[in-house]
Amino acid sequence: MATAVAVAGLGVSVWYDAHAHLRANAEESTLKAAQHHLAALRHDKVVTNYANAVTTNRRNDLEASIGTTLNQLAGVEASVSSANAGASLEGVGISTLHTCLGGVQAALSQVSANNNAAAAKDVSAVSGPCALLDGGANAGLVYPFDFPDPDVILVGRTYYAYATNSVAGNIQIIASSDLTHWTAVGNALPSLPAWAKPDNTWAPEVARANGSFFMYYAVEVAATGTQCISVATARSAQGPFVDTSTGPLECQQSLGGSIDPSTFTDTNGVSYLVWKSGGPGSSKVWSEQLNAAGTGIASGASPALLLLPERSWEAGTVEAPDLLRANGHYFLFFSGNDWNSANYGIGVATCTGPLGPCADATPNPILSSGAGIAGPGGESIFTDTSGAYWMAFHSWVPGAVGFPNSRDLYLRRIDLSGALPSVAAPGPG
């Protein structure tokens, strides 16, 4: 395997050669190539299989890949031992590779032992070093593991992020105090209602009201196979969230189902559910008033159409809506195009109110594939401790696009100083 050969090359005796200084440029090039190959190895051979197999419960497939992966990591270990003396170049050296791969190896061992909770902790413990290998702050990457359809909230001075089911369970939850270092908390939604199908929960959004936390999420109805929206509640942002419903909160079966929920509370305190119906070519974004409790639709309310896919870049799909009021304006952020490709992107529309109407104001996405990201989407908007706006979104790593590759967690600031929101350059601060 080319990767194994490249990695093994790092362990040759040149690091101890009397002429090492004369060959520094060549060794720097070799290290950079190894970093690239090892990053690809982590995504293509380790994290991808790990997240996919756990999500779908196909442990046999995962365990079959572990032997090969561990053999490759053993080669890396030997190379690291030989190369450590002179392998710190441009701030990201062999020690970073070693830390990242060591954590992933530990996580794989935990998955093999059917200990998903420990595996989640192992991968989150090395999220920093692994993020450096994938570009880190250069692209806005903060959690380099599968974390699709993210939603971030601030509680006190702690940020909590929730995402589609993967290694940690029905709904993943991670936490951070600085938006840079994230730690796995566990499964925010341990159990599903009896009417829901297991292993098919995604796109969560968490809101806080009256001392409680409400999680709106998409799930498949076991009896019909229709994708619908439900709601669970908790006393803490960490959960556990409990769903006691006897059926979905919203489910437009005649339109192909309802998914990608988010909520919006206007200045008058009235809250709304915003979501997407249908599939490619028939998708629509809707809004509907919630009841005062937040667990049902308001009496007499009906869905109001907010957005249709009318721009060419959307390719017939608008989804993952998130409504924001800022500077006296209503902005509807959304994702468009094929989620499983690098053509996916994020756009924004302007609305006259939470029930619309809305106008698709961006002829092009405000965020699309570029340096360090491929097919960004699944966005949510939140504020930090200073009140500044941020966008959380997932993205493929360039060169590893499409399921079952991982969609990692990225953060970018949102600039609201212009007529329309724009995505600021990546980086903290």
Side-chain angles (χ1 to χ4, degrees):
M1 179 179 289
T3 300
V5 173
V7 171
L10 292 174
V12 298
S13 60
V14 66
W15 293 101
Y16 301 103
D17 201 5
H19 303 290
H21 291 294
L22 298 178
R23 303 180 62 180
N25 289 339
E27 294 307 325
E28 181 175 350
S29 176
T30 301
L31 177 60
K32 288 180 178 178
Q35 290 168 346
H36 173 77
H37 287 304
L38 286 172
L41 169 65
R42 183 176 59 80
H43 274 280
D44 297 342
K45 299 296 185 183
V46 182
V47 178
T48 292
N49 290 335
Y50 160 63
N52 181 45
V54 173
T55 300
T56 59
N57 289 327
R58 287 183 285 149
R59 291 189 178 278
N60 291 339
D61 292 343
L62 175 62
E63 290 170 355
S65 72
I66 287 177
T68 300
T69 301
L70 294 183
N71 287 336
Q72 293 170 335
L73 291 176
V76 174
E77 182 92 23
S79 297
V80 167
S81 298
S82 300
N84 244 359
S88 181
L89 296 176
E90 298 183 359
V92 182
I94 291 294
S95 61
T96 304
L97 300 173
H98 189 192
T99 301
C100 172
L101 290 168
V104 173
Q105 181 180 11
L108 282 167
S109 298
Q110 296 291 358
V111 171
S112 181
N114 294 329
N115 192 340
N116 286 9
K121 291 181 179 179
D122 285 336
V123 293
S124 66
V126 295
S127 64
C130 292
L132 285 176
L133 298 177
D134 281 336
N138 293 330
L141 175 65
V142 296
Y143 194 70
F145 304 104
D146 196 46
F147 206 78
D149 310 309
D151 178 63
V152 177
I153 64 170
L154 174 63
V155 180
R157 301 192 66 84
T158 301
Y159 300 93
Y160 295 95
Y162 308 84
T164 289
N165 66 307
S166 188
V167 58
N170 291 321
I171 298 294
Q172 301 183 76
I173 176 174
I174 59 178
S176 173
S177 60
D178 59 8
L179 293 179
T180 300
H181 303 91
W182 292 85
T183 301
V185 175
N187 184 4
L189 184 66
S191 301
L192 298 178
W195 56 267
K197 181 180 179 180
D199 303 317
N200 285 270
T201 49
W202 62 96
E205 199 256 18
V206 174
R208 186 180 188 180
N210 302 320
S212 295
F213 293 84
F214 300 82
M215 175 184 288
Y216 303 86
Y217 66 101
V219 66
E220 185 174 323
V221 179
T224 65
T226 306
Q227 300 169 345
C228 302
I229 294 168
S230 192
V231 59
T233 59
R235 301 298 297 178
S236 162
Q238 299 184 45
F241 285 83
V242 177
D243 187 343
T244 59
S245 65
T246 57
L249 170 66
E250 182 62 66
C251 189
Q252 298 160 299
Q253 189 164 348
S254 63
L255 298 179
S258 304
I259 64 171
D260 293 352
S262 67
T263 59
F264 170 77
T265 300
D266 211 346
T267 53
N268 61 3
V270 176
S271 295
Y272 300 82
L273 180 70
V274 185
W275 73 95
K276 168 244 184 165
S277 70
S282 64
S283 64
K284 300 177 178 68
V285 172
W286 304 84
S287 177
E288 190 169 17
Q289 185 179 332
L290 289 167
N291 63 17
T295 55
I297 303 301
S299 177
S302 59
L305 180 62
L306 294 186
L307 191 66
L308 293 169
E310 297 176 336
R311 297 291 189 178
S312 60
W313 73 266
E314 298 159 359
T317 295
V318 287
E319 57 191 10
D322 198 24
L323 188 60
L324 169 71
R325 181 185 170 100
N327 301 330
H329 300 285
Y330 295 89
F331 298 110
L332 179 65
F333 293 84
F334 64 94
S335 300
N337 211 295
D338 178 9
W339 70 272
N340 202 31
S341 76
N343 296 323
Y344 208 46
I346 297 169
V348 63
T350 57
C351 306
T352 60
L355 294 175
C358 301
D360 192 346
T362 52
N364 298 296
I366 60 171
L367 185 64
S368 57
S369 294
I373 59 173
E379 76 295 329
S380 69
I381 311 301
F382 68 98
T383 55
D384 64 16
T385 53
S386 70
Y389 286 97
W390 290 77
M391 174 189 289
F393 63 95
H394 68 239
S395 174
W396 311 104
V397 172
V401 176
F403 185 81
N405 291 299
S406 295
R407 288 172 286 172
D408 301 343
L409 174 62
Y410 292 73
L411 300 179
R412 298 273 186 95
R413 281 184 179 271
I414 297 296
D415 184 355
L416 295 170
S417 61
L420 288 173
S422 62
V423 183

